[in-house]
Amino acid sequence: MARCLVTGGAGFIGSHLTERLLDLGHEVTVLDDLSTGSRENLAAVANHPAFRLRVGSITDPLLLTEVMAGSEVIYHLAAAVGVKLVADDPVRTIETNIYPTELLLRQAVQGRQRVFLASTSEVYGKNPKERWTEEDDLHFGATTRARWAYGCSKAIDEFLALAYHRKFQLPVVIGRFFNVVGPRQVGHYGMVIPRFVDQALAGRPLEVYDDGGQTRCFGHVQEVVECVFRLTESSAAHGEVFNIGSDELVTIRGLAEQIIAKVHPGLAIRYIPYREAYGEGFEDVRQRVPDLTRLRTTLGMQPSRSLSDILDDVIAWKRSQPAGDQT
Ligand code: NAD
């Protein structure tokens, strides 16, 4: 059984990963500053004897070095997350997503620790291909458009991780998450499914940005964390980049319609221009679909739960939350 560190473990994906690792019998330390995560996300494991929470920032080099020292495997998920948060505070994005990753990788070389690095489909930027493979080009917009700071910061993390793998044989796996959804995801940072479900449960029109014709694929968080764990365990995956998510495609308009049908038939859809949601000059990505061949070939599996099933799970979780928490 391994001693694991999960940075960002009080967040949406990190808390599910923490639960899974503890279920498998591992020891888990979470390092999280609770900026977008919360203690409630870890309520189910708070009293587990193999679990420990350190509240603090990955931007504190002494703290990061200290918590890493006792670990054999490091899952690095802490980051400034979400298109809205990033557009609002690009400095925080760069500071959180780049310097600490470099320090973490350097320390991991010294400690011979295995590392999983959470990256994102945002690194593909505006690549016009219908389906993205890990070897495709990255197409970012201008540096004057703050939203690209997120994808760029994660791309730099990837370059760093691959460089440390090549130069020092660091056993590191890079996972590019596509849209991940499930219980505990919140809508404050622009995440579309929790936002739509909140609006539907409140009986309000669903606010779809632009014309709603943009497409996305949504993977269930429990299947995504299973891939994360298996990839990190697999030596064949070390030094490689993997798309992780579902490849079931839906338009945002179609997504809104499915949620309305499940929660509150008859609700209207309100179309909002991007500039109203994110400010002037915002650019979105029209289509975002992963090619999962590499993931399937390496693990023999891929996330396969249907969107309808995922929506049922999120809606049931939202309904179980105390009134007033459905934001
Ligand atoms: P989240 O906001 O729920 O989790 C991020 C966690 O990091 C939070 O608990 C937050 O408090 C913590 N954190 C932020 N800054 C920190 C700091 N300076 N020090 C310590 N902790 C800090 O978001 P998530 O959706 O669970 O994302 C987890 C990872 O997955 C991130 O790296 C994100 O970029 C990546 N990702 C997520 C998605 C998705 O669809 N949810 C898609 C692509 C990539």
Side-chain angles (χ1 to χ4, degrees), residues 66-114:
E66 184 199 321
V67 292
M68 281 184 71
S71 312
E72 294 155 282
V73 189
I74 295 156
Y75 297 92
H76 183 38
L77 278 73
V81 175
V83 172
K84 186 159 171 46
L85 189 151
V86 169
D88 289 347
D89 195 348
V91 172
R92 173 173 162 196
T93 302
I94 291 163
E95 284 179 355
T96 312
N97 295 3
I98 299 180
Y99 310 133
T101 304
E102 188 185 5
L103 175 61
L104 184 148
L105 293 167
R106 233 184 304 132
Q107 298 283 354
V109 169
Q110 306 218 319
R112 300 299 309 156
Q113 288 142 318
R114 258 178 294 146

Side-chain angles (χ1 to χ4, degrees), residues 29-294:
T29 298
V30 162
L31 174 62
D32 200 299
D33 69 355
L34 306 180
S35 51
T36 55
S38 68
R39 286 180 194 275
E40 295 82 74
N41 284 345
L42 293 164
V45 298
N47 297 319
H48 194 294
F51 169 74
R52 208 163 61 108
L53 170 64
R54 288 293 299 268
V55 177
S57 178
I58 53 164
T59 58
D60 175 346
L62 290 178
L63 177 61
L64 184 62
T65 306
E66 184 199 321
V67 292
M68 281 184 71
S71 312
E72 294 155 282
V73 189
I74 295 156
Y75 297 92
H76 183 38
L77 278 73
V81 175
V83 172
K84 186 159 171 46
L85 189 151
V86 169
D88 289 347
D89 195 348
V91 172
R92 173 173 162 196
T93 302
I94 291 163
E95 284 179 355
T96 312
N97 295 3
I98 299 180
Y99 310 133
T101 304
E102 188 185 5
L103 175 61
L104 184 148
L105 293 167
R106 233 184 304 132
Q107 298 283 354
V109 169
Q110 306 218 319
R112 300 299 309 156
Q113 288 142 318
R114 258 178 294 146
V115 178
F116 174 86
L117 177 73
S119 185
T120 168
S121 57
E122 280 279 317
V123 298
Y124 293 104
K126 299 183 279 187
N127 188 315
K129 276 185 67 178
E130 282 189 4
R131 207 169 269 268
W132 294 331
T133 73
E134 293 85 349
E135 302 305 319
D136 282 336
D137 292 344
L138 314 185
H139 287 221
F140 294 119
T143 50
T144 45
R145 305 279 159 98
R147 70 103 73 217
W148 300 115
Y150 176 56
C152 267
S153 68
K154 290 282 190 172
I156 291 171
D157 285 352
E158 293 195 16
F159 279 123
L160 283 166
L162 292 171
Y164 277 86
H165 174 75
R166 283 190 199 119
K167 186 155 182 180
F168 303 108
Q169 295 76 51
L170 179 72
V172 58
V173 179
I174 297 162
R176 288 182 182 160
F177 295 146
F178 282 64
N179 292 61
V180 184
V181 289
R184 297 188 207 134
Q185 188 175 39
V186 290
H188 316 302
Y189 307 103
M191 308 308 186
V192 62
I193 288 185
R195 192 167 56 76
F196 279 177
V197 172
D198 287 337
Q199 288 168 341
L201 286 171
R204 297 200 304 267
L206 270 61
E207 294 182 342
V208 167
Y209 300 152
D210 203 34
D211 65 355
Q214 60 278 45
T215 54
R216 295 291 182 270
C217 300
F218 296 93
H220 195 285
V221 64
Q222 280 163 355
E223 293 185 311
V224 167
V225 302
E226 192 59 32
C227 294
V228 169
F229 171 72
R230 292 193 194 191
L231 286 172
T232 312
E233 289 292 297
S234 158
S235 54
H238 296 164
E240 297 283 350
V241 181
F242 292 87
N243 289 337
I244 305 180
S246 158
D247 54 5
E248 184 188 340
L249 194 75
V250 65
T251 63
I252 297 298
R253 193 186 320 113
L255 176 69
E257 285 164 358
Q258 284 196 44
I259 292 174
I260 288 172
K262 283 178 185 288
V263 177
H264 203 134
L267 273 184
I269 294 180
R270 193 159 83 87
Y271 292 92
I272 295 187
Y274 276 129
R275 71 172 180 293
E276 207 177 293
Y278 294 122
E280 218 49 69
F282 181 81
E283 295 175 281
D284 200 20
V285 177
R286 205 60 197 163
Q287 171 132 324
R288 182 179 281 164
V289 187
D291 183 311
L292 298 174
T293 309
R294 186 179 287 177

